[in-house]
């Protein structure tokens, strides 16, 4: 019996289909014969892991500072380098005279014990002086929107107002303004807010803080926040949270990656310094070459999970840092093991525990759900081999105090007893397109007797700053293999997730979601992730494929609650792939709903200005009885949903 594709490709997609060609594969051979795909949806081979797809992020590519963390002001804690204050500009309107320097002798807290010292020697109402901030390559403003800010200030004789203005870079026009009445004297926190009018949404804006009289003013922790996702105070950017929510993740691996380890021992993710009032967070040097204020600290990571209704996969620092230093197992490592135990208590302990009480004091009495704890990051890179002693010390302590949680090792480990056993091992794969396409059988014959697998970081590396369609095809091929092997692979996460696309914004070539200060976009691989997670059942049925072309991949899962067969068809070839799909026992007419992603070439991609070159297109096809003839278009990723009963 034949099925006709009823659905409608839009005009651009049709054109793309005709013009499709794999880079470097300019063959003109005939289309392959029909492949036979047989599925027995009544015979479930194994369940699909309920946590198969999740998120991994860290402070890289300005993922948080200048990214997800909604703070609009860059370098709000006034770090300076050899060239002086980073990102801030001295503002001297008209004939005003002023200078700025870093004062290391005064700040509002022990954590922030320095400040920007502004000495204004001449200023008037019409000749104001102060400081300007360009944001993170601009300040994204929207019309009719309220922005809320705060800052710490100390002043001598200055008691006049501190004017705060949002200004359009091109027009020089003030888009919103307010003033703060300085009370003079010692450090004090001030708040301010203002609302934009009927402005055009844009990233090309900056902010100025100015005074109109001479005096000395010290500033620290200068903040400006837009509305945030779920109205979370000190929260996250709405568009990026929405993009993550659409990926239907089940967990967030936090806080990294290399960000967990830091470059040197002193740079590790010392979570205790990232909680509590913002003014008490000193910030720290992130390994990807810039400073983290830790405004998005441990509690904010957990609240981000809560907002997305997902759970954390908590990575604890295991005494190894990226540039090769490690803490000797034994006495030296004990404080780090204790920090890990405390961290788990902060996440999960009730309010009667020391760290549960601290979490409540920080504003979140309710414990967070947790099932997995990861010990370290990429410890296979520790060529000293010290993980074989550090792991057991952590594993024994964590397994003893928290037997209910599963432990993830980041390198293969040997155990002398149950307490030292790894429940899961974290494997990472970054591969070029052809290599990823050829890697998809890797786990098919892997032993099922050892620890489960967490593919905690993976990506096809093609396209900058975000992946191209060829990468999306290889990513999809890889995802079909993870679904097929999801009895072994229990979790996975693409990495890196986020990238600020400004030229100085990124440190990694290929990243899933791009953004600037105003807008964001999903790459072809992002849409592939959404498609795979959206169309996922809870069981893998028995299936076979014969006579398929070399770069054709598929996955079949069945949802026991909805009775939907989710077929994923990935045709990474420039030739269409005819298929005879046999679904055992299917009778009568059924509608197949099809979601397609198509690229005109491997190089086709989305950008911050052209966000929808590759995007999901929807169609349907009629399936009658148990046999369906269908042709998977060239260079296409498809999810086909068929209700079985
Ligand atoms: O995802 C980028 C980096 O790749 C991670 O920080 C690290 O774990 C891996 O090497």
């Amino acid at each position: 019996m034949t099925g006709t594709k009823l659905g409608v490709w839009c005009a651009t997609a049709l054109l793309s289909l005709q013009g499709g060609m794999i880079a470097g594969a300019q063959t003109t051979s005939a289309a392959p014969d029909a492949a036979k795909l047989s599925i027995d949806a009544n015979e479930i081979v194994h369940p699909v892991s309920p946590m198969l797809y999740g998120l991994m992020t860290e402070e890289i590519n300005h993922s948080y500072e200048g990214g997800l963390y909604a703070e609009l002001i860059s370098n709000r804690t006034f770090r300076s380098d050899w060239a002086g204050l980073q990102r801030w500009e001295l503002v001297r309107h008209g004939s005003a005279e002023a200078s700025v320097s870093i004062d290391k002798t005064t700040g509002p807290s022990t954590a922030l014990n320095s400040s920007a010292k502004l000495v204004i020697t001449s200023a008037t109402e019409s000749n104001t002086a102060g400081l300007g901030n360009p944001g993170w390559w601009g300040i994204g403003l929207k019309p009719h929107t309220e922005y809320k800010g705060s800052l710490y200030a100390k002043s001598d004789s200055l008691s006049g107002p501190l004017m705060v203005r949002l200004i359009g870079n091109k027009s020089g026009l003030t888009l919103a303004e307010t003033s703060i009445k300085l009370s003079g004297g010692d450090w004090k926190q001030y708040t301010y807010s203002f609302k934009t009018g009927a402005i055009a949404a844009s990233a090309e804006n900056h902010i100025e803080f100015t005074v109109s009289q001479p005096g000395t003013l010290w500033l620290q922790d200068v903040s400006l926040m837009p509305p945030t996702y779920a109205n979370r105070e000190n929260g996250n950017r709405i568009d990026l949270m929405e993009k993550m929510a659409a990926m239907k993740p089940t967990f967030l691996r936090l806080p990294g990656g290399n960000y967990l380890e830091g470059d040197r021992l002193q740079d590790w993710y010392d979570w205790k310094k990232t909680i509590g009032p913002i003014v008490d967070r000193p910030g720290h040097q992130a390994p990807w070459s810039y400073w983290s204020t830790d405004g998005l600290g441990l509690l904010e990571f957990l609240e981000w999970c809560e907002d997305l209704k997902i759970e954390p996969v908590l990575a604890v620092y295991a005494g190894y840092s990226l540039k090769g230093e490690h803490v000797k197992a034994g006495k030296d490592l004990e404080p780090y093991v204790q920090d890990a135990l405390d961290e788990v208590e902060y996440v999960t302990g009730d309010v009667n525990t020391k760290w549960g009480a601290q979490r409540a004091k920080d504003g979140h009495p309710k414990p967070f759900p947790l099932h997995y704890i990861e010990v370290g990051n990429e410890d296979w890179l520790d060529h000293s081999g010290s993980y074989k002693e550090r792991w057991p010390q952590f594993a024994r302590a964590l397994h003893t105090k928290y037997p209910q949680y599963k432990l993830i090792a980041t390198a293969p480990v040997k155990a002398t007893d149950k307490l030292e056993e790894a429940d899961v091992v974290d494997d990472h794969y970054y591969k070029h397109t052809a290599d990823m396409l050829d890697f998809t059988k890797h786990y098919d014959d892997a032993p099922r007797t050892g620890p489960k697998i967490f593919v905690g970081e993976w990506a096809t590396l093609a396209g900058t700053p975000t992946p191209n369609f060829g990468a999306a095809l290889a990513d999809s091929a890889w995802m079909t293999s993870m679904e097929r092997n999801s009895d072994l692979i229990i979790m996975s996460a693409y990495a890196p997730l986020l990238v600020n696309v400004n030229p100085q914004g990124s440190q990694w070539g290929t990243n899933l979601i791009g953004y600037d200060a105003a807008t964001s976009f999903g790459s072809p691989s992002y849409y592939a992730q959404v498609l795979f997670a959206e169309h996922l059942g809870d069981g893998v049925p028995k299936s076979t494929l014969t006579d398929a072309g070399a770069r054709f991949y598929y996955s079949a899962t069945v949802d026991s609650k909805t009775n939907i067969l989710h077929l994923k068809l990935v045709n990474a070839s420039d030739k269409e792939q005819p298929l005879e799909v046999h679904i055992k026992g299917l009778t009568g007419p059924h509608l197949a709903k099809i979601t397609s992603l198509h690229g005109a070439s491997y190089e086709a991609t989305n950008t911050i200005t052209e966000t929808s070159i590759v995007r999901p297109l929807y169609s349907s096809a009629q399936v009658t009885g148990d046999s369906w003839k269908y042709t998977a278009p060239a260079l296409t990723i498809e999810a086909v949903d068929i209700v079985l009963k």
Side-chain angles (χ1 to χ4, degrees):
M1 263 155 276
T2 46
T4 336
K5 189 160 178 186
L6 300 174
V8 261
W9 289 97
C10 75
T12 43
L14 259 179
L15 275 177
S16 308
L17 279 169
Q18 285 156 1
M21 177 62 70
I22 299 179
Q26 317 222 350
T27 96
T28 51
S29 57
D33 291 340
K36 279 111 203 134
L37 174 57
S38 301
I39 297 157
D40 183 351
N42 291 318
E43 197 174 332
I44 298 299
V45 185
H46 61 76
V48 172
S49 167
M51 288 178 69
L52 186 59
Y53 294 121
L55 302 173
M56 187 275 172
T57 77
E58 62 178 334
E59 188 57 276
I60 182 175
N61 302 323
H62 290 272
S63 287
Y64 310 151
E65 307 272 332
L68 181 67
Y69 181 47
E71 176 62 73
L72 294 172
I73 291 187
S74 55
N75 189 21
R76 72 179 183 196
T77 55
F78 297 106
R79 309 276 311 164
S80 65
D81 61 12
W82 60 269
L85 260 184
Q86 292 169 340
R87 298 176 185 276
W88 290 89
E89 290 292 345
L90 181 63
V91 174
R92 290 173 290 189
H93 288 296
S95 60
E97 290 294 347
S99 63
V100 66
S101 60
I102 290 295
D103 188 341
K104 292 197 170 152
T105 67
T106 183
S109 63
T110 312
L112 298 181
N113 56 9
S114 66
S115 51
K117 180 181 180 187
L118 198 55
V119 178
I120 304 111
T121 43
S122 170
T124 64
E125 288 278 324
S126 51
N127 297 281
T128 57
L131 283 178
N133 188 281
W136 293 105
W137 303 283
I139 292 184
L141 294 182
K142 291 198 170 79
H144 308 294
T145 304
E146 188 177 30
Y147 295 83
K148 294 182 183 165
S150 65
L151 55 85
Y152 284 82
K154 165 178 141 165
S155 57
D156 56 6
S157 53
L158 255 180
S159 59
L162 176 65
M163 292 300 304
V164 190
R165 289 197 181 89
L166 287 167
I167 299 168
N169 294 349
K170 281 187 185 151
S171 66
L173 293 176
T174 297
L175 306 174
E177 67 183 318
T178 187
S179 65
I180 296 170
K181 186 159 172 19
L182 296 172
S183 53
D186 210 356
W187 285 104
K188 191 177 157 202
Q189 189 181 25
Y190 299 87
T191 57
Y192 63 97
S193 67
F194 37 34
K195 202 170 170 182
T196 52
I199 63 166
S202 154
E204 292 180 68
N205 310 292
H206 66 279
I207 192 167
E208 284 185 7
F209 301 86
T210 55
V211 294
S212 52
Q213 64 182 99
T216 307
L217 177 67
W218 289 262
L219 292 172
Q220 182 50 284
D221 205 12
V222 179
S223 172
L224 177 67
M225 283 280 181
T228 57
Y229 189 80
N231 284 321
R232 179 82 73 186
E233 202 180 319
N234 193 42
N236 291 342
R237 216 171 118 160
I238 295 170
D239 58 338
L240 297 178
M241 286 294 277
E242 286 175 347
K243 284 200 169 54
M244 283 185 242
M247 291 170 70
K248 300 217 175 323
T250 54
F251 66 86
L252 169 66
R253 175 178 174 233
L254 67 88
N258 294 156
Y259 189 49
L260 171 73
E261 316 161 72
D263 271 345
R264 298 154 306 162
L265 290 183
Q266 73 219 52
D267 302 324
W268 72 284
Y269 189 79
D270 194 350
W271 65 273
K272 287 177 184 166
K273 294 183 179 156
T274 74
I275 57 173
I278 296 287
V279 71
D280 293 329
R281 303 183 193 182
H284 76 284
Q285 181 62 45
W288 296 101
S289 79
Y290 58 94
W291 187 257
S292 169
T293 61
D294 288 320
L296 196 161
L298 179 60
L299 184 61
E300 288 77 16
F301 270 113
L302 298 167
E303 289 174 336
W304 162 9
C305 293
E306 189 168 59
D307 286 346
L308 293 182
K309 302 184 179 49
I310 62 179
E311 65 177 68
V313 169
L314 182 70
V316 297
Y317 179 66
Y320 168 74
S321 289
L322 195 53
K323 294 217 161 132
E325 291 171 281
H326 73 266
V327 181
K328 208 166 168 299
K331 266 237 139 333
D332 292 354
L333 198 61
E334 272 169 20
Y336 296 91
V337 174
Q338 189 56 49
D339 268 314
L341 294 170
D342 293 348
E343 190 171 5
V344 177
E345 189 172 284
Y346 186 85
V347 176
T348 64
D350 69 37
V351 295
N352 300 312
T353 61
K354 178 178 173 197
W355 288 101
Q358 180 63 47
R359 187 194 61 241
K361 192 168 162 220
D362 295 341
H364 202 288
K366 196 171 162 213
F368 292 91
L370 186 73
H371 290 93
Y372 293 93
I373 301 168
E374 177 157 31
V375 179
N377 176 59
E378 295 190 341
D379 282 271
W380 68 76
L381 289 172
D382 174 8
H383 300 302
S384 76
S386 74
Y387 196 58
K388 64 176 189 301
E389 280 125 29
R390 290 183 290 110
W391 161 265
Q393 201 171 334
F394 276 92
R396 297 195 83 78
L398 286 162
H399 265 149
T400 303
K401 181 152 185 208
Y402 295 109
Q404 67 273 40
Y405 302 139
K406 304 264 184 242
L407 293 190
I408 305 170
T410 74
V413 288
K414 287 201 182 107
T416 56
D417 62 16
K418 196 93 194 115
L419 285 177
E420 291 181 8
E421 266 176 24
D423 301 293
V424 183
V425 171
D426 184 354
D427 287 346
H428 294 178
Y429 302 110
Y430 293 102
K431 290 184 178 294
H432 294 295
T433 308
D435 295 338
M436 191 62 110
L437 289 169
D438 292 344
F439 191 63
T440 53
K441 293 199 167 62
H442 182 71
Y443 286 106
D444 288 356
D445 299 319
R448 264 49 181 175
T449 45
K452 299 286 186 192
I453 301 294
F454 174 28
V455 186
E457 294 177 29
W458 69 268
T460 305
L461 302 177
T464 296
T466 52
N468 60 26
F469 192 70
L473 284 164
D475 288 346
S476 300
W478 172 245
M479 285 189 279
T480 64
S481 85
M482 290 203 291
E483 292 187 0
R484 183 170 66 246
N485 286 292
S486 67
D487 57 327
L488 177 63
I489 302 174
I490 55 163
M491 296 186 287
S492 70
Y494 185 102
L497 186 78
L498 300 171
V499 63
N500 188 313
V501 299
N502 279 283
Q504 303 93 38
S506 75
Q507 293 81 41
W508 190 270
T510 307
N511 313 280
L512 200 66
I513 299 171
Y515 49 87
D516 63 13
T519 58
S520 56
F521 69 99
S523 62
S525 290
Y526 167 78
Y527 286 115
Q529 293 268 321
V530 172
L531 181 145
F532 269 71
E534 250 180 2
H535 302 271
L536 184 66
D538 52 20
V540 173
K542 188 174 170 196
S543 68
T544 55
L545 176 72
T546 54
D547 303 329
R551 277 177 297 282
F552 179 76
Y553 310 82
Y554 83 101
S555 151
T557 62
V558 178
D559 191 317
S560 60
K561 290 180 281 310
T562 58
N563 251 310
I564 293 177
L565 167 66
H566 296 286
L567 262 185
K568 273 100 169 203
L569 308 174
V570 181
N571 189 359
S573 154
D574 61 342
K575 296 286 171 287
E576 53 186 30
Q577 175 64 64
L579 288 170
E580 286 173 25
V581 184
H582 184 257
I583 303 167
K584 194 172 173 193
L586 197 69
T587 55
H590 293 263
L591 193 68
K593 290 190 180 164
I594 304 172
T595 309
S596 306
L597 293 173
H598 171 74
S601 68
Y602 271 25
E603 281 69 29
T605 199
N606 296 337
T607 66
I608 192 85
T609 49
E610 289 191 284
T611 59
S612 305
I613 304 279
V614 177
R615 66 194 182 288
L617 297 167
Y618 306 96
S619 61
S620 59
Q622 194 68 44
V623 180
T624 309
D626 65 356
S627 183
W628 177 43
K629 285 205 170 103
Y630 179 72
T631 297
L635 301 180
T636 299
I637 302 157
E638 295 193 314
V640 182
D641 289 355
I642 303 171
V643 182
L644 293 174
K645 279 177 194 153

